[in-house]
Amino acid sequence: MKTNFLVLLAMFFTLAAAAQVQEHVSYTIESTLLSPQVVEVGGANKDDRANVNLWQWKGLPHQKWQFIRASDGYWFIKNDNSGKVLDFENGNDKPGSSVYQYTPNFSVAQQFKLIAAGDGSYYIVSNGGNYVTCETVHGKNGSNIMLWNKCEGSKFRFFAQ
């Protein structure tokens, strides 16, 4: 009985997160810890494996993202500037792996679930259960985006552009 309740609760929060974003609408992904810093592709780079980091919001295309449905509640998160999607280093879904952009190949390394944190923010979680987070909490432009355990640095808000 307890397991069924937990499954239903997880499904509720996943559905609530899915309602937060609409497919093919541009969003900024803002860090709740380092606001007003947003997730961007460093230097507006369009290459595969270009680093993804936090930077102060400037309204530029490489700071905007679209959510595209994958399957089973997962999303591909595509950069407006490059057309590439979030991916993680060498497909290693483990804490410490850097998040970068890569040409869409529909692998599980490019699928992320949105889970409501309960305070209006969301966790972005890899298919393997690791959390997208910022590497540092010092508020510096260029803080690396990586996979890690759930923490305060893993909460994000989405704003339609």
Side-chain angles (χ1 to χ4, degrees), residues 11-52:
M11 288 173 55
F12 170 77
F13 282 115
T14 300
L15 289 173
Q20 170 66 21
V21 297
Q22 294 178 5
E23 194 169 21
H24 302 293
V25 172
S26 294
Y27 290 89
T28 56
I29 303 173
E30 181 184 70
S31 168
T32 62
L33 189 61
L34 300 172
S35 178
Q37 291 188 335
V38 298
V39 176
E40 70 162 24
V41 177
N45 195 322
K46 293 184 179 183
D47 296 336
D48 281 344
R49 294 187 179 87
N51 193 51
V52 175

